[in-house]
């Protein structure tokens, strides 16, 4: 039988012993106060974004294009539903998996009646979800600096709805677009003061691989397509 | 490949010799890496100040490593409070035994694994297979290597050395699929096979890129979505991760994630960056019932105890130093015979597996410093190779070499003896052809692939004296006119 903590004390003991002699700091961060860099400085070094909402949107649009995400601006929930209907008929979808949420609930009655809906409420059958043609989720945030969609296990239908079906549709509001990862983490920390969801994931474009001759192929395991429907 | 009969240094030399003359393979590797260099330069240039970002990343890692005990305990406290379990493994065997025990206890039938170099390090798959557990690698490159029965060629790009036709032949042989030269079709073959693996597996094993202390999370970076599925569908998740992978704060990832992507593949951000803080929580609809983090020491504390080289543990395994290394490009990833290839592997392997057996890797460098220059967390990689050379020499002095240096210094301090000895150099040049190519050749290491220059009949000093004398006599003659 194995102790459930293993060699905890022995390893911590070796670590403490090893650290008795301090290591020199070879690359002191220039603009750090008191020797420890603060995360507030990251913004000065990372790729610039711009302060105005238009600049943020422009960058997000540009990066989405590079990443081969499809960003579609929708004036209303009705328009978003129409976009989903046209994607569904073009893709020959039979089943759409989704979860409950403010935006999805508003969309649901407007979706084409021909689509079978698989709602993930308290659980699901893995095979059934795997066989779906698309997954519709909300998200927590969009990140301008990286072109990412931030989903969590709490607000995006659990851990795999955003990654198992071959087409992932995200419905979001422009107000969810933050400048950069620093702001994203600040926003998540404020939102989940009482406990983070068990998964936070920054999705940056559809699933991709370059493992064969470093040639880009989309849809390695996750979605081949990522569509972001952006409401005002 | 690594065979038991051969010591690592001999295996290294014979594999490196063979690989460096394999021109088609080298061309494939070079082609794969040329795209990387372009993408990396382009993305790096979008940073407002890459150098400060890098200095900051180095400072954060320095803080994390120099208070490692505190941060590991902080992680453990936060992680277990949310229902996770932490197991501390001193060595490979302990880690393997724990994971095997978990599999046994939970009647696990099928295991799916996302990319984890720690898994390679402890030979986890072999141990699981030996006990009868089926385990499938889900990262495309790792899956290809698993089918091929080969270790990864590069710790970020596992099958970068293979051409599409070789992969097509492999799939045809192992999976019975039709041959194709289309990378997309090849990827879709793997996609179909592996989808079943996620759905059927009851245990998912992953590695981890960062241990986040302040929120008790493990962060995993990937492009394919295979790790998301590996830790999303099975009922048990095991993350096997080296104790050095700590960052103090979740917010630190705002710097590390873009830097890892830029240095690793030239992307702004890798496809999926996911942070996992515990198993399925109340109110969540899926996720594993159990989440075990296995902290792996396996001699990391030995490297930690060396303040001079402690920063080698800052490594975030982006692979940039391999991608720019002229030695890696020439000898390829398998020649190293190590889990971690390239410059950083040559630095850390002697600490993990013994300096005496692995010191030859310190010589696998032109000391050009490209690795140090490219490292996103500022590790002085090529200096550490020199430190390892020095330490190896101190640990086991090379007697013959010491004698040679003593003789040289004796000679250099005695000008008349030196001048006398130099008279014999042309004689050496005359006699050399008699032994060239035989074991008696004193410069065999050089002449194996190059000509040894013939010694001139006169020394520089003699020529210099003659030249001066000629000039002076010319000046005298000129003055007399």
């Amino acid at each position: 039988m194995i102790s459930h903590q293993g060699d905890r004390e022995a390893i911590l003991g070796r670590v403490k012993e090893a650290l008795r002699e301090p290591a020199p700091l070879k690359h002191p961060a220039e603009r750090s106060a008191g020797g420890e860099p603060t995360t507030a400085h990251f913004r000065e070094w990372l790729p610039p974004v711009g302060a105005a909402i238009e600049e943020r949107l422009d960058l997000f649009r540009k990066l989405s294009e590079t990443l081969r995400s499809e960003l579609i601006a929708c004036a209303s929930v009705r328009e978003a539903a129409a976009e989903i209907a046209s994607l569904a008929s073009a893709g020959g979808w039979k089943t759409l998996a989704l979860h409950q949420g403010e935006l999805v609930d508003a969309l649901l009655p407007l979706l084409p009646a021909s689509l079978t809906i698989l709602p993930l409420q308290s659980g699901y059958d893995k095979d059934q979800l795997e066989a779906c043609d698309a997954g519709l989720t909300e998200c927590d945030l969009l990140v301008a600096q990286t072109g990412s969609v931030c989903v969590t296990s709490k607000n995006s239908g659990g851990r795999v709805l955003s990654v198992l079906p071959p087409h992932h549709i995200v419905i979001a509001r422009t107000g969810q677009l933050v400048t950069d990862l620093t702001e994203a983490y600040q926003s998540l920390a404020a939102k989940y003061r009482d406990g983070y969801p068990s998964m936070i994931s920054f999705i940056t474009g559809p699933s991709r691989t370059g493992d064969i001759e470093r040639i880009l192929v989309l849809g390695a395991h996750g979605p081949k397509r990522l569509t972001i429907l952006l409401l005002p | 490949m690594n065979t038991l009969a051969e010591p690592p240094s001999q295996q290294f030399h014979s594999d490196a010799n063979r690989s460096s003359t394999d021109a088609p393979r080298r061309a494939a590797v070079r082609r794969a890496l040329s795209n990387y260099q372009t993408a990396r330069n382009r993305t790096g240039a979008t940073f407002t100040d890459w150098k400060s970002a890098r200095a900051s990343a180095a400072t954060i890692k320095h803080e994390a490593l120099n208070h490692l005990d505190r941060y590991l305990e902080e992680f453990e406290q936060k992680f277990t409070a949310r229902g996770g379990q932490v197991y501390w493994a001193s060595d490979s065997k302990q880690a393997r035994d724990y994971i095997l025990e978990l599999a046994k206890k939970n009647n696990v039938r099928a295991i799916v694994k996302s990319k984890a170099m720690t898994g390679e390090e402890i030979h986890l798959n072999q141990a699981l297979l030996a006990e009868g557990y089926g385990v499938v690698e889900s990262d495309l490159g790792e899956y290809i290597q698993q089918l091929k029965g080969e270790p990864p060629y590069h710790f970020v790009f596992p099958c970068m050395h293979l051409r599409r036709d070789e992969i097509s032949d492999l799939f045809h042989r192992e999976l019975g699929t039709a041959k194709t030269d289309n990378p997309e079709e090849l990827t879709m073959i793997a996609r179909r096979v592996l989808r079943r693996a996620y759905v059927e597996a009851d245990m998912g094993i992953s590695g981890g890129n960062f241990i986040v202390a302040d929120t008790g999370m493990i962060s995993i970076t990937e492009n394919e979505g295979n790790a998301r599925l590996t830790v999303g569908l099975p009922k048990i998740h095991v993350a096997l991760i080296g104790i050095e992978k700590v960052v103090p704060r979740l917010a630190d990832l705002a710097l590390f994630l873009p830097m890892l992507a830029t240095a690793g593949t030239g992307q702004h951000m890798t496809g999926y960056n996911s942070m996992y803080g515990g198993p399925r929580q109340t109110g969540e609809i899926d996720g594993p019932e159990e989440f075990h983090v296995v902290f792996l020491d396996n001699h990391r504390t030995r490297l930690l105890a060396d303040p001079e080289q402690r920063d080698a543990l800052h490594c975030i395994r982006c692979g940039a130093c391999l991608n720019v290394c002229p030695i890696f490009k020439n000898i390829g990833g398998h020649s190293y015979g190590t889990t971690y290839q390239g410059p950083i592997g040559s630095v850390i392997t002697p600490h993990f597996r013994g300096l005496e057996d692995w010191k030859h890797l310190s010589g696998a460098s032109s000391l050009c410093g490209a690795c140090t220059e490219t490292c996103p967390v500022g590790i002085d990689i090529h200096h550490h190779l020199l430190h390892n050379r020095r330490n190896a020499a101190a640990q086991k002095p090379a007697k013959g070499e010491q004698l040679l240096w003593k003789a040289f210094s004796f000679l250099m301090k005695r000008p008349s003896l030196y001048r006398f000895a130099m008279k014999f150099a042309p004689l050496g040049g005359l006699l050399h052809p008699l032994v060239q190519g035989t074991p008696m050749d004193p410069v065999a290491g050089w002449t194996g692939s190059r000509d040894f220059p013939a010694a001139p009949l006169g020394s520089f000093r003699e020529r210099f004296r003659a030249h001066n004398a000629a000039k002076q006599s010319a000046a005298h003659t000129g003055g007399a006119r």
Side-chain angles (χ1 to χ4, degrees), chain A residues 7-8 159 162 164 207 222, chain B residues 76 90 191 195 224 228:
Chain A
D7 270 359
R8 184 180 191 278
R159 289 202 183 190
S162 54
L164 191 56
S207 160
Chain B
E76 184 187 43
S90 280
R191 179 183 168 105
R195 295 224 121 203
E224 299 178 1
R228 284 277 312 268

Side-chain angles (χ1 to χ4, degrees), chain B residues 99-127:
Chain B
I99 296 170
L100 278 169
E101 167 116 359
L102 278 177
K104 221 166 280 170
K105 207 169 70 188
N106 292 284
N107 295 317
V108 164
R109 284 152 303 142
I111 301 173
V112 67
K113 186 168 162 293
S114 67
K115 196 169 175 344
M117 292 313 295
T118 42
E120 300 291 331
E121 186 182 329
I122 70 166
H123 302 292
L124 180 60
N125 287 0
Q126 291 89 321

Side-chain angles (χ1 to χ4, degrees), chain A residues 83-114:
Chain A
E83 288 292 346
I84 295 176
S86 75
L87 287 171
S89 73
W93 299 354
K94 290 186 187 69
T95 324
L96 172 68
L98 47 75
H99 66 97
Q100 285 187 305
E102 187 212 330
L103 292 175
V104 175
D105 289 349
L107 267 175
L108 195 52
L110 306 171
L111 292 176
S114 57

Side-chain angles (χ1 to χ4, degrees), chain A residues 7-8 14 21 23 27 45-46 121 124 159 162 164 196 198 200-202 204 207 209 211 213 221-222, chain B residues 48 62 76 82 88 90 138 141 164 191 195 224 228 231 271 273-275 284-286 297 310 378:
Chain A
D7 270 359
R8 184 180 191 278
R14 283 199 294 272
E21 202 180 325
H27 302 269
W45 308 326
L46 292 169
Q121 269 155 3
Y124 53 86
R159 289 202 183 190
S162 54
L164 191 56
Y196 284 101
S198 74
I200 300 167
S201 185
F202 292 96
T204 310
S207 160
T209 186
D211 274 346
E213 294 186 7
H221 295 281
Chain B
T48 309
H62 181 270
E76 184 187 43
R82 289 163 56 84
W88 303 65
S90 280
S138 59
R164 62 185 84 180
R191 179 183 168 105
R195 295 224 121 203
E224 299 178 1
R228 284 277 312 268
V231 311
N273 286 282
S274 314
M275 291 108 244
E284 293 183 349
I285 63 164
D286 60 1
D297 177 352
R310 189 173 296 158

Side-chain angles (χ1 to χ4, degrees), chain A residues 144-161:
Chain A
Q145 187 179 56
T146 57
S148 310
V149 177
C150 176
V151 298
T152 60
S153 44
K154 187 166 190 289
N155 280 340
S156 310
R159 289 202 183 190
V160 298
L161 176 58

